[in-house]
Amino acid sequence: MVKRVKKGDHLITENTILVDGKKTSEERINNIIIQKTNLGMNGLLGLPIPLRLHIYNLARPNIDSIIRANILSDSLEVKRKVALLSKKQFDKWLESKRDFNSWLKRTGEAPTILNENKTEKTANNLRKYYFSKGWFNNEVNYEIERDSNKRAQVTYKVTTNNPYLLDSITPIISSPAIDSLYSNFSKSSYLIEGEQYDEENFENERARINTYLRNKGFYYFGKDNIRFVTDTIGTNYKINTDLIISDRSIRTDDSTRVEPFKVYKIKAVNIFTDDNFENRFKAISDTTTYKDYKFYSKNGLRFRPKAIADAIFINKGDLYSDLARSRTSRYLNDLQMFRYPNISYLENEADSSLIANIYLEPKKKYQFALDFDITQSNIQTIGFSVSPGLKIRNIFRGAETLDISGIAAVGASKDKNEDVTSFFDINEFGGSIRLTIPRLFTPFNTDKLIPKYMSPSTAISLSATGQQNIGLDKQTLSGIVSYNWLPTTTVSNNLELFNVQFVKNLNTNNYFGVYSNSFSSLNTIARDIGYINSNETLQENTSNPFAPADMFIADVLNGATNLSPNDEEFITVKNIDERKQRLTENNLIFSSSFDYKKDKRQNIFDNDFSIFKWRIEIAGNLLSSISRLSGATKNENNSYEVFGVAFSQYLKTEVDYIKYFDLGRNNILAFRSYAGIAIPYGNSNSIPFAESFFAGGPNDNRAWTAYNLGPGSSKSTNEFNEANFKIHLSAEQRFILFGNFRGALFVDAGNIWNVLDNVEDDAATFSGISSLKDIAIGSGFGIRYDFDFFVLRFDIGFKTYDPSQDIDNRWFYDYNFRNAVYNIGINYPF
């Protein structure tokens, strides 16, 4: 570590801050230190691993001298290499050595050499910090411990002494209009008598008062008009504070005058609907008035006045308000109809009023997009897809947006039943249409319940897709009516009033072609009991090649074989049949759902935040009530049907919580906890496959591949393991390695189970607290590369605790790189 440390210098290996004799690990305080140790010096898992310092030490400080001494000084060797490589290639070879040496320096990190001047500056900064927190008489000293190995440790010792407390707060307000409001805006003050002095609270109080007054009509008011004067002389650790709010200062060309602040009202609101560069010399050709709003257009008004007026929170006769201005700007942006809406005010000095001018530049009415992809997967050797999209803005002149999109895909697959390759036998075609309305489209007035400042919107969508030679060849129809609104800047709500999905499986005879593991299990059982010969399979060369497999299942369940219901093989066949019936049945889902999300993240650079999401969905109740009231008859499975399909009925809820802790210096600790359950009832005894839960994969438990974990402790060999109850927990520490490379250590835990449905396998069923012993644990590490706009992620997961193994072999069984799971993903897993 001290390879590049000169004689007489010392590498700082540790900084310690002792506050009143106790070591502090508070990030905010430790960030005050100017000379931080090299990244990784304090260790990962307690071990000092300054990787970037080691990389820097690999670089040669005198690379040019080394090249001259070791290469260029030997003229015969130079001639030989030039003859072998050519002069140009020889020069490039030398340049590559210099470039690699420069790369080591850039990627690495130079050693942090002890500088006592910077240590003294850190001590001064600590004094200032504790002074700002009310310890005016604090004392800060430091000690430096140097050793003979060119290493040094610095310890800062802080003695806080007695803190100062806030006592009286006296307002001195020059403008009568503001003074009359003091009793109102002082109630929520950050400055509370008896609390310890904190400079940050004074800044927050200035911002709070400024916000309050600017929303009460004081258009020219600013934070510079607020001052605090404190007195601590002879107060016995008490602080008396004067809150001073000065008059307005107006500068002219040659003088400055002072006058009291006045309240400004909105005299008029003018909206220019087609303000752009091309129209700058055109005259106004169309003028319209709607509810005190005046609309001006140069090419004719293309929007219904109400559609734009609903987005305006600045009203004639109201006091000036920053909040109204920001809400108007946000809502106009949310409409996605205009480019950079601009709001300006003109003062009318005669009556202390303002004229608000809103300038709008409409976006193009039509926007076309076309995506083309080439793909490869386990069901096709190559595939081509094209996805056209058309966006139509303001389609009904009410700022509505209509999105029309489609997909057309063809691919080449190898037929599972014939040893031939079929080109373009795979295809998928579909389309969707979505109408977004910038308000709640209801027959009722919802303004009091969901005011327009919450940016309410309605989305109505229809879609249809059809597949051929993909799985069971599904046809899917769906329709959604949903409402969205934003109560605060951190909270979003979405209510799906109706979500109708119809899924029809066209090629159910190919079930065992898709789920080949189940077919292999049936063949093994059929051979073991002598149902077929050891060299035969339950398959024939007909239009329904898996008819013998279906016949075998029927014979087993009807007692036509030597298997009894208590035999393990009988239970396996029964489970395969139940799964086949569920996955091949057509699904009709008529549901309603509500989503709540609270995201406290301020921006993409915020690494100390939390996200909470909750979703609840109810399906089938309306159809069940209609069927019961209409006297509809049930089918042989005791279920109501609509259009010949038994509709699904269930209750589903999910809770997801994510928390990030910023540990400083791009070191982040991230947690995620998730739980979800879907309970069938009434018309259903199981959950549709599309609504089930799965575990494993690059964004879940990374020690298992997707769909490969669970349910419970069962030793399932299904291609897709799913269930109706899930628990998942993750913890991940993320840190910088060097350059744009990031590292991570993670632990994932969780599993899926069946509960309150028709699955009878005890190993796959959640039966209470005792089932938590079947929570699978995976651990591992990852390397990521940050491209700024996305992160490429490579994670390696090891099965730390595998509930599918025997109880004595669950911990660290096959814990090695050969049995690890390698995940590649985009961006972080949570």
Side-chain angles (χ1 to χ4, degrees):
M1 289 192 296
V2 295
K3 183 178 180 180
R4 302 299 179 205
V5 179
K6 297 178 181 179
K7 184 178 180 180
D9 289 340
H10 291 80
L11 174 72
I12 298 181
T13 59
E14 185 176 359
N15 287 309
T16 303
I17 299 177
L18 300 178
V19 180
D20 294 331
K22 295 182 180 179
K23 182 178 179 180
T24 180
S25 57
E26 188 177 338
E27 178 193 352
R28 186 172 182 179
I29 297 175
N30 280 276
N31 282 340
I32 296 174
I33 297 174
I34 296 175
Q35 272 198 302
K36 294 180 171 58
T37 58
N38 288 97
L39 192 66
M41 186 67 73
N42 292 332
L44 185 64
L45 300 179
L47 300 175
I49 311 175
L51 180 60
R52 293 184 64 189
L53 174 60
H54 288 309
I55 293 174
Y56 182 89
N57 287 340
L58 293 175
R60 308 300 292 269
N62 53 343
I63 185 66
D64 289 328
S65 299
I66 293 173
I67 290 175
R68 282 195 300 270
N70 296 343
I71 300 175
L72 298 180
S73 62
D74 190 342
S75 58
L76 292 178
E77 181 66 16
V78 171
K79 288 181 180 180
R80 189 183 68 82
K81 287 187 178 294
V82 169
L84 180 65
L85 300 174
S86 82
K87 182 65 168 62
K88 184 177 181 179
Q89 290 181 338
F90 177 73
D91 291 340
K92 286 188 175 180
W93 176 64
L94 293 180
E95 191 62 29
S96 68
K97 287 182 172 293
R98 296 186 181 95
D99 291 343
F100 180 68
N101 197 73
S102 297
W103 179 85
L104 290 174
K105 287 185 176 181
R106 291 195 310 271
T107 304
E109 184 182 37
T112 303
I113 304 301
L114 175 66
N115 183 323
E116 196 159 350
N117 288 332
K118 293 183 179 180
T119 305
E120 179 60 41
K121 288 181 180 179
T122 296
N124 285 332
N125 289 343
L126 285 169
R127 294 184 191 104
K128 292 176 183 178
Y129 173 79
Y130 282 96
F131 185 95
S132 73
K133 295 300 179 181
W135 288 285
F136 294 167
N137 300 323
N138 74 81
E139 301 173 33
V140 179
N141 300 300
Y142 62 85
E143 293 179 357
I144 300 174
E145 182 180 341
R146 300 175 177 88
D147 63 22
S148 58
N149 294 321
K150 300 182 182 179
R151 292 172 170 84
Q153 297 181 359
V154 182
T155 302
Y156 299 92
K157 297 182 178 181
V158 180
T159 304
T160 58
N161 294 318
N162 291 331
Y164 279 75
L165 307 180
L166 297 180
D167 194 14
S168 64
I169 299 175
T170 304
I172 303 174
I173 302 174
S174 301
S175 300
I178 295 178
D179 187 51
S180 66
L181 297 176
Y182 177 75
S183 61
N184 292 329
F185 67 75
S186 63
K187 294 177 181 177
S188 303
S189 176
Y190 285 95
L191 308 179
I192 300 174
E193 183 179 338
E195 289 194 355
Q196 186 169 329
Y197 174 92
D198 189 335
E199 188 175 287
E200 187 175 350
N201 285 337
F202 281 77
E203 289 302 313
N204 290 337
E205 180 66 2
R206 289 180 73 226
R208 187 191 68 83
I209 294 173
N210 179 69
T211 299
Y212 178 89
L213 294 177
R214 288 191 60 82
N215 286 325
K216 289 296 183 180
F218 295 94
Y219 176 66
Y220 287 105
F221 192 84
K223 286 198 293 186
D224 291 342
N225 297 105
I226 304 172
R227 291 187 299 117
F228 295 99
V229 176
T230 57
D231 178 21
T232 59
I233 299 175
T235 60
N236 192 25
Y237 302 106
K238 298 290 181 65
I239 299 176
N240 298 316
T241 303
D242 290 339
L243 166 61
I244 301 173
I245 301 179
S246 63
D247 282 336
R248 179 189 174 191
S249 179
I250 304 174
R251 293 182 181 179
T252 59
D253 293 338
D254 54 0
S255 63
T256 301
R257 72 177 190 274
V258 175
E259 63 180 42
F261 280 102
K262 295 182 292 186
V263 171
Y264 283 80
K265 288 188 175 183
I266 304 301
K267 186 174 185 178
V269 181
N270 302 321
I271 304 168
F272 300 87
T273 63
D274 51 5
D275 181 75
N276 56 40
F277 186 77
E278 295 177 356
N279 292 342
R280 64 191 184 280
F281 297 124
K282 290 184 179 181
I284 300 294
S285 64
D286 188 2
T287 303
T288 303
T289 300
Y290 175 80
K291 287 187 176 180
D292 294 330
Y293 298 107
K294 290 186 178 180
F295 294 84
Y296 298 93
S297 305
K298 296 181 178 181
N299 295 322
L301 184 58
R302 299 177 183 178
F303 296 84
R304 289 202 305 272
K306 183 181 185 302
I308 299 180
D310 283 346
I312 308 300
F313 294 85
I314 304 168
N315 300 308
K316 180 180 178 180
D318 286 355
L319 299 179
Y320 169 82
S321 169
D322 274 354
L323 181 60
R325 183 176 188 169
S326 62
R327 283 177 174 174
T328 299
S329 181
R330 189 187 76 173
Y331 203 121
L332 288 171
N333 279 302
D334 289 343
L335 291 179
Q336 299 184 29
M337 295 286 134
F338 310 103
R339 291 186 181 92
Y340 315 117
N342 180 33
I343 304 172
S344 64
Y345 293 87
L346 295 177
E347 179 187 3
N348 188 337
E349 295 184 2
D351 56 2
S352 300
S353 65
L354 298 171
I355 296 176
N357 292 323
I358 302 173
Y359 299 94
L360 306 176
E361 180 184 355
K363 295 181 179 180
K364 291 183 179 179
K365 184 177 183 68
Y366 300 98
Q367 181 178 333
F368 183 75
L370 185 66
D371 292 329
F372 181 77
D373 289 319
I374 300 176
T375 57
Q376 188 178 30
S377 69
N378 60 344
I379 65 171
Q380 62 181 7
T381 56
I382 191 169
F384 304 92
S385 67
V386 60
S387 302
L390 176 64
K391 182 186 289 290
I392 307 175
R393 296 185 176 90
N394 195 35
I395 185 170
F396 301 122
R397 298 183 67 241
E400 306 90 354
T401 302
L402 183 68
D403 291 286
I404 304 172
S405 61
I407 183 173
V410 294
S413 73
K414 189 169 184 178
D415 195 298
K416 293 183 180 297
N417 303 315
E418 300 178 10
D419 193 21
V420 297
T421 300
S422 302
F423 285 96
F424 305 121
D425 59 331
I426 289 179
N427 63 69
E428 180 178 4
F429 297 94
S432 66
I433 183 170
R434 176 185 174 92
L435 176 65
T436 303
I437 305 170
R439 54 193 169 278
L440 296 188
F441 188 68
T442 69
F444 314 105
N445 188 337
T446 58
D447 289 346
K448 292 184 178 180
L449 182 63
I450 303 176
K452 67 178 185 177
Y453 74 80
M454 295 184 182
S455 299
S457 64
T458 303
I460 304 172
S461 63
L462 297 170
S463 63
T465 58
Q467 301 173 339
Q468 184 176 352
N469 290 333
I470 302 177
L472 303 180
D473 297 352
K474 298 177 185 287
Q475 285 184 347
T476 304
L477 298 173
S478 66
I480 301 175
V481 177
S482 64
Y483 300 132
N484 185 78
W485 65 98
L486 309 172
T488 69
T489 56
T490 61
V491 175
S492 62
N493 293 325
N494 180 265
L495 172 65
E496 286 189 353
L497 192 62
F498 301 113
N499 186 336
V500 184
Q501 301 177 59
F502 174 68
V503 179
K504 184 178 182 181
N505 296 302
L506 303 178
N507 188 14
T508 57
N509 291 334
N510 191 41
Y511 177 82
F512 290 114
V514 176
Y515 300 96
S516 56
N517 287 350
S518 296
F519 182 66
S520 297
S521 297
L522 290 178
N523 278 298
T524 300
I525 295 172
R527 293 181 186 128
D528 290 345
I529 67 174
Y531 188 86
I532 58 176
N533 295 326
S534 59
N535 61 344
E536 291 180 331
T537 60
L538 297 168
Q539 191 174 8
E540 59 187 25
N541 189 18
T542 65
S543 59
N544 185 8
F546 298 107
D550 293 328
M551 181 67 71
F552 173 62
I553 292 175
D555 287 345
V556 170
L557 299 182
N558 293 330
T561 67
N562 58 3
L563 293 176
S564 65
N566 294 326
D567 291 334
E568 183 177 344
E569 292 88 348
F570 183 96
I571 295 173
T572 300
V573 173
K574 183 180 178 182
N575 289 338
I576 290 174
D577 179 62
E578 289 177 347
R579 179 176 169 84
K580 178 176 181 292
Q581 297 302 321
R582 188 160 70 89
L583 297 187
T584 58
E585 67 181 1
N586 298 328
N587 296 131
L588 176 60
I589 303 174
F590 195 111
S591 67
S592 299
S593 65
F594 175 75
D595 288 83
Y596 172 89
K597 179 179 179 181
K598 186 170 187 177
D599 187 348
K600 293 186 177 181
R601 189 168 195 173
Q602 300 295 321
N603 50 61
I604 60 174
F605 304 106
D606 185 5
N607 291 317
D608 195 348
F609 65 93
S610 65
I611 300 175
F612 175 79
K613 292 185 285 188
W614 175 61
R615 173 180 172 84
I616 185 168
E617 179 181 1
I618 300 175
N621 284 8
L622 180 61
L623 294 181
S624 179
S625 298
I626 293 174
S627 298
R628 187 172 60 254
L629 293 175
S630 63
T633 58
K634 296 184 177 182
N635 60 19
E636 64 276 8
N637 295 322
N638 198 34
S639 298
Y640 292 115
E641 293 183 350
V642 175
F643 303 121
V645 179
F647 56 86
S648 299
Q649 191 171 7
Y650 59 85
L651 170 66
K652 182 179 182 180
T653 187
E654 301 168 80
V655 178
D656 195 357
Y657 179 74
I658 295 171
K659 176 62 180 175
Y660 277 42
F661 296 93
D662 192 340
L663 304 181
R665 306 187 72 182
N666 291 304
N667 197 335
I668 300 165
L669 187 61
F671 290 95
R672 184 194 180 198
S673 58
Y674 171 91
I677 187 171
I679 303 173
Y681 64 95
N683 213 53
S684 300
N685 56 16
S686 64
I687 298 299
F689 180 81
E691 298 295 333
S692 299
F693 302 103
F694 72 91
N699 296 322
D700 198 80
N701 198 321
R702 284 161 279 186
W704 281 261
T705 56
Y707 294 97
N708 196 38
L709 174 58
S713 61
S714 61
K715 296 177 171 56
S716 175
T717 58
N718 293 322
E719 290 84 355
F720 301 99
N721 293 311
E722 39 77 40
N724 65 328
F725 177 48
K726 177 177 180 177
I727 295 175
H728 175 76
L729 302 167
S730 280
E732 181 172 286
Q733 184 176 7
R734 302 166 186 167
F735 47 88
I736 286 182
L737 292 176
F738 53 86
N740 288 333
F741 282 95
R742 308 287 187 263
L745 297 174
F746 61 82
V747 177
D748 301 322
N751 208 333
I752 55 173
W753 295 267
N754 290 92
V755 61
L756 302 175
D757 63 0
N758 60 351
V759 175
E760 300 176 357
D761 185 358
D762 291 339
T765 303
F766 189 87
S767 56
I769 298 298
S770 60
S771 294
L772 295 179
K773 70 179 184 300
D774 296 333
I775 287 182
I777 301 176
S779 58
F781 62 91
I783 298 176
R784 294 85 187 268
Y785 189 86
D786 191 346
F787 287 94
D788 291 334
F789 52 94
F790 75 94
V791 174
L792 181 63
R793 174 165 53 92
F794 178 70
D795 292 333
I796 304 176
F798 301 91
K799 294 179 177 62
T800 308
Y801 180 85
D802 186 353
S804 67
Q805 302 294 334
D806 294 335
I807 193 68
D808 295 330
N809 295 323
R810 292 185 174 184
W811 284 102
F812 302 103
Y813 186 79
D814 287 336
Y815 193 89
N816 51 56
F817 282 95
R818 185 180 63 182
N819 294 294
V821 173
Y822 299 87
N823 300 278
I824 296 177
I826 301 296
N827 293 329
Y828 293 108
F830 57 91

